[in-house]
Amino acid sequence: LMVIKFLKIPSLFFILSLSVFLSCGEESKTVKERPNILWISVEDISPDLGCYGDPIAHTPTLDKLASNGFMYTNAIANAPVCAPARNAIITGMYPSSLGTLHMRSFSNAMKTSGRIPEEIQLYPEVLRRAGYYCTNNVKEDYNFDLKRDIWDASSNQAHWKNRPDKATPFFSVFNLTLTHESCINNLEKHQRLTEDLPSELRTDPKSIDVPPYYPDTAEVRTLLARHYDNIAQMDRVVEKLLMELEDAGEKENTIVFFYSDHGTGLPRHKRWLFDTGVKVPFIVYIPEAYQFLYPAAPGSAVDELISFIDLAPTAIDLAGADIPENMQGKIFLGKNKEENPYVYIARGRMDERYDMQRGVRSKQFKYLRYYEPNKPFMQFMNTPEGGPLMTEIRKAEKKGNLNDAGWQMVAKTKPTESLFDLVNDPLELNDLARDPKMKDTLQKMRAVHDRWMLDIMDIGLLPEPIMRTWETDNDQPIYNWIRSQESFYDELLMMSSTEDESILYRGLNHDNEAVRYWAGQGLYNLKTKVKPATLKQLKKTLDDTVINVSISAARALLRQGDSSKEVIKILAEGLEAENEWTRLQTALVLDDFETALKQLVPAAKKSIKQDYNKYVVRVLNRGLNKLYGTSNKVK
């Protein structure tokens, strides 16, 4: 197992002791040597705040916090959905490095695994050893099986006020959920949460500036207005949390962070790697006594690139503790801060749908790599499709009423890679990847992406059923196991990125099943008919010793027009596999190819009745709904 070492850093305790000793005035006597730290986390909002220049938002509390603190304009969630994003925060590591990127990597209800090495230290554990009283209010959702107590208190009653004495420094997180996507989509829930919001703080739907990728309808305007009303209510809750600090005399002892877990809970925002999905509001308030931590003058907008893996090492550094070597983030406050030339983003399975995507972002450019370009840009997923805004998009799509940005959103396929100029195109509507003038920038960003994938050993390249099988068979987290093997990762990365049929052909015979899987996936990605020899090899691969490789080959054969009984036999076996992620892999193939589903309708109906994995049931329901002409009804 990996041995965790520690990086020694200058003690904030010593710096503050000297600062307090040298300072004068009565107030300095009350300043603590080590600061308290308060994190206020909210859900599902982009920088839709007044201080970020949004004229619609009613956010006086947060605007004031920003005017007295620091507003980060390039703060990025490493994943565009909650559980992987929170995983990055709690570990200080990339979820794609740990094997915890897929949404709901751990679920008791679905009997799935999701493990991190026991020696990986989480930031509350480090802070508690440093003498901090650490609390988490309401939500954890770290996307792995947490089998140890990491907080002094974690519940809806957890609060810094409950610490043993006032001399003990605290680290406290409050997770506010009233801006979650469900609070937009569910009218009853929205009304209940905002029932005491004054009328003057409510948003007039007519004042909304509808994004160009949405149809401009009354329903869309109403939904966007709900979102702003939720934000206005959230701002009032933040005010109460900050008043508690002031009333307790802790305001000048406490560094406050405010941030969202990812972008707005609406289509093309949450779950997508555009800035609408990963760029978040991020405000830091630092009391004057700790001004040596200031990144700029108070009230400034700070354009430094930061991402969620940076939060843990920064908090640990503020506490004067040692940062575990496993943490991959950088410190962004104080004398030990390091600037990020790039931040990295990733998308794994979103609920029931796989669509592997990775991204690299500088201050000006974003590079996106789509590893499954033949999948629609916006796959059918139960949760967003059940929302009223997605319903409006599908209506407009059916009527042909979308504009260019809207059609881009519902495109049936994606490019292999995209490049956007974020300064001149903040909504990422103009893809520059095929612009000859941008060739050098494209190649540079592509190389940065490739280097990062190798450096962190991105485990997202491992198909989920194979990943979980390896974890179970070797009784250790995938993060440890893959690092103990002879290197096949370079070949895996090459196989997942190449469009060279001859390389993919050879990959079907590789010793490693993940490489063979991606060879089949790569052949599926090709937009041309493959050679007869390749078809023959794919047929042979149906008899692979690992069923997930066989299913990958079956999918490629179906794309080539082969729906023979040998292909259908493998898919029938996949539906009955013990591994639930193998069953999901099979269901997704059947949803893509009606020619195959038609031959397995009884088996699909049987699975719907028996399968405990709700994602398998969702996909098969969707496929049968399409097959029998029941429109896009969500069951």
Side-chain angles (χ1 to χ4, degrees):
L1 295 179
M2 179 180 62
V3 178
I4 300 297
K5 299 178 181 178
F6 295 91
L7 301 176
K8 297 298 181 182
I9 59 176
S11 170
L12 181 61
F13 179 90
F14 172 79
I15 295 171
L16 279 171
S17 296
L18 182 62
S19 173
V20 172
F21 176 79
L22 294 176
S23 63
C24 59
E26 192 66 27
E27 186 175 340
S28 66
K29 296 179 181 177
T30 65
V31 174
K32 291 184 177 179
E33 292 168 335
R34 291 189 293 172
N36 304 317
I37 304 171
L38 173 65
W39 284 6
I40 302 173
S41 168
V42 300
E43 297 199 324
D44 297 18
I45 70 168
S46 300
D48 305 325
L49 309 176
C51 54
Y52 280 89
D54 193 317
I56 304 297
H58 296 294
T59 52
T61 302
L62 291 169
D63 297 348
K64 182 179 179 181
L65 190 70
S67 69
N68 294 322
F70 310 95
M71 181 181 70
Y72 283 79
T73 57
N74 281 314
I76 306 298
N78 297 110
V81 71
C82 58
R86 291 172 183 274
N87 180 266
I89 294 171
I90 199 71
T91 63
M93 299 178 69
Y94 296 106
S96 51
S97 177
L98 277 171
T100 49
L101 182 63
H102 297 309
M103 182 62 177
R104 299 287 173 257
S105 288
F106 173 72
S107 169
N108 282 317
M110 293 191 293
K111 304 180 182 178
T112 62
S113 60
R115 300 164 60 187
I116 65 168
E118 291 182 6
E119 63 270 21
I120 294 290
Q121 297 184 69
L122 310 177
Y123 75 80
E125 297 174 300
V126 180
L127 293 175
R128 289 175 72 189
R129 285 199 302 272
Y132 274 71
Y133 178 74
C134 296
T135 66
N136 177 74
N137 192 286
V138 182
K139 189 171 184 178
E140 293 184 351
D141 198 19
Y142 303 134
N143 216 34
F144 62 87
D145 188 2
L146 181 59
K147 293 184 177 180
R148 57 191 196 249
D149 292 329
I150 64 173
W151 299 99
D152 288 297
S154 182
S155 71
N156 60 4
Q157 300 299 313
H159 202 293
W160 53 264
K161 290 181 178 180
N162 301 327
R163 66 196 190 282
D165 57 71
K166 291 185 178 181
T168 301
F170 65 78
F171 177 93
S172 197
V173 183
F174 287 85
N175 298 286
L176 309 183
T177 61
L178 67 168
T179 52
H180 187 264
E181 67 180 323
S182 61
C183 305
I184 302 174
N185 295 334
N186 186 315
L187 177 58
E188 182 180 347
K189 188 174 185 179
H190 165 76
Q191 290 175 333
R192 183 173 68 254
L193 290 169
T194 61
E195 61 183 355
D196 64 341
L197 184 68
S199 58
E200 64 269 20
L201 296 183
R202 294 186 180 272
T203 303
D204 181 357
K206 294 178 182 178
S207 68
I208 294 290
D209 185 12
V210 177
Y213 37 81
Y214 292 158
D216 190 349
T217 67
E219 179 69 5
V220 169
R221 287 179 172 274
T222 296
L223 293 167
L224 293 174
R226 280 186 205 168
H227 174 56
Y228 279 106
D229 287 354
N230 294 338
I231 290 174
Q233 185 74 318
M234 174 271 293
D235 187 80
R236 301 171 78 209
V237 177
V238 172
E239 181 182 27
K240 293 177 182 178
L241 292 174
L242 297 179
M243 283 301 299
E244 287 180 336
L245 280 180
E246 191 162 353
D247 292 345
E250 297 290 356
K251 178 182 177 182
E252 296 310 313
N253 297 318
T254 306
I255 297 174
V256 179
F257 288 20
F258 169 88
Y259 60 90
S260 172
D261 62 350
H262 49 71
T264 302
L266 293 171
R268 200 189 181 272
H269 293 237
K270 182 177 181 177
R271 302 180 182 89
W272 278 270
L273 295 184
F274 293 123
D275 267 14
T276 49
V278 296
K279 189 174 183 178
V280 298
F282 197 98
I283 300 169
V284 180
Y285 168 76
I286 303 173
E288 187 176 356
Y290 308 98
Q291 61 184 279
F292 62 89
L293 295 169
Y294 287 178
S300 296
V302 181
D303 72 346
E304 291 177 18
L305 282 166
I306 62 173
S307 70
F308 281 179
I309 62 165
D310 300 326
L311 268 68
T314 298
I316 291 170
D317 188 69
L318 291 174
D322 295 322
I323 300 173
E325 192 176 62
N326 61 268
M327 290 190 176
Q328 297 164 327
K330 294 181 178 180
I331 300 164
F332 62 83
L333 286 174
K335 292 184 177 180
N336 296 315
K337 80 172 185 178
E338 302 175 77
E339 292 203 15
N340 291 307
Y342 305 100
V343 294
Y344 303 93
I345 51 181
R347 166 178 164 150
R349 174 176 50 74
M350 294 292 170
D351 294 347
E352 69 266 32
R353 298 286 176 174
Y354 293 101
D355 190 356
M356 181 173 165
Q357 302 173 18
R358 298 292 183 268
V360 179
R361 190 191 191 281
S362 67
K363 289 181 181 179
Q364 181 171 2
F365 294 105
K366 181 186 289 179
Y367 171 83
L368 295 177
R369 173 75 64 82
Y370 296 105
Y371 284 81
E372 300 175 83
N374 284 332
K375 290 183 175 179
F377 172 74
M378 190 171 285
Q379 293 189 86
F380 186 99
M381 285 183 282
N382 251 41
T383 299
E385 293 286 348
L389 200 149
M390 196 68 226
T391 299
E392 290 294 294
I393 292 172
R394 294 303 187 194
K395 285 179 182 177
E397 179 186 12
K398 187 174 182 180
K399 293 178 180 178
N401 290 342
L402 293 170
N403 58 21
D404 288 345
W407 287 117
Q408 178 197 71
M409 182 172 58
V410 298
K412 302 303 181 185
T413 60
K414 302 181 294 296
T416 301
E417 54 186 1
S418 291
L419 180 70
F420 299 100
D421 182 341
L422 301 171
V423 173
N424 297 302
D425 179 27
L427 289 180
E428 295 160 271
L429 300 175
N430 184 23
D431 190 348
L432 302 174
R434 281 151 292 285
D435 185 339
K437 296 178 183 178
M438 302 304 296
K439 181 179 179 181
D440 290 346
T441 301
L442 177 67
Q443 291 178 340
K444 178 181 178 181
M445 297 294 280
R446 181 192 299 143
V448 171
H449 160 272
D450 292 347
R451 182 72 259 163
W452 171 65
M453 293 284 286
L454 284 169
D455 285 348
I456 70 165
M457 194 170 281
D458 191 315
I459 299 174
L461 285 172
L462 303 179
E464 191 168 19
I466 291 177
M467 181 198 308
R468 299 308 175 204
T469 297
W470 284 352
E471 278 190 323
T472 301
D473 290 350
N474 296 283
D475 193 27
Q476 59 179 310
I478 192 67
Y479 179 85
N480 285 344
W481 185 82
I482 195 171
R483 285 162 174 77
S484 70
Q485 304 307 298
E486 291 186 13
S487 176
F488 63 89
Y489 193 82
D490 288 1
E491 294 175 83
L492 181 63
L493 184 58
M494 177 185 66
M495 204 62 59
S496 67
S497 304
T498 187
E499 295 180 356
D500 187 323
E501 184 179 335
S502 62
I503 293 176
L504 295 169
Y505 175 90
R506 291 197 301 272
L508 292 173
N509 291 304
H510 197 276
D511 290 341
N512 184 274
E513 57 262 45
V515 176
R516 299 197 302 274
Y517 171 94
W518 270 104
Q521 172 67 39
L523 291 167
Y524 168 81
N525 287 341
L526 295 181
K527 295 178 172 60
T528 58
K529 290 287 184 179
V530 299
K531 297 174 182 177
T534 305
L535 279 176
K536 184 177 180 181
Q537 189 60 43
L538 279 169
K539 282 276 195 180
K540 290 177 64 177
T541 306
L542 292 174
D543 293 325
D544 195 276
T545 55
V546 177
I547 190 170
N548 309 102
V549 177
S550 300
I551 295 169
S552 178
R555 187 168 178 241
L557 286 165
L558 283 165
R559 183 162 177 79
Q560 295 292 321
D562 183 349
S563 56
S564 60
K565 63 181 181 180
E566 293 88 354
V567 170
I568 303 304
K569 178 176 178 290
I570 287 299
L571 297 176
E573 292 176 8
L575 275 186
E576 296 183 351
E578 182 178 356
N579 187 311
E580 64 188 293
W581 303 116
T582 298
R583 300 197 300 275
L584 179 59
Q585 178 193 2
T586 308
L588 289 166
V589 173
L590 294 175
D591 186 44
D592 283 344
F593 294 97
E594 289 188 1
T595 54
L597 181 58
K598 285 179 180 177
Q599 300 180 62
L600 289 172
V601 169
K605 289 182 176 180
K606 179 181 177 182
S607 294
I608 289 171
K609 291 180 180 179
Q610 296 181 351
D611 208 306
Y612 59 78
N613 187 308
K614 65 181 180 181
Y615 297 152
V616 176
V617 174
R618 285 181 184 180
V619 173
L620 292 175
N621 257 326
R622 160 69 174 164
L624 293 177
N625 285 344
K626 288 190 300 177
L627 191 61
Y628 291 112
T630 54
S631 67
N632 292 338
K633 183 179 179 183
V634 180
K635 293 186 179 180

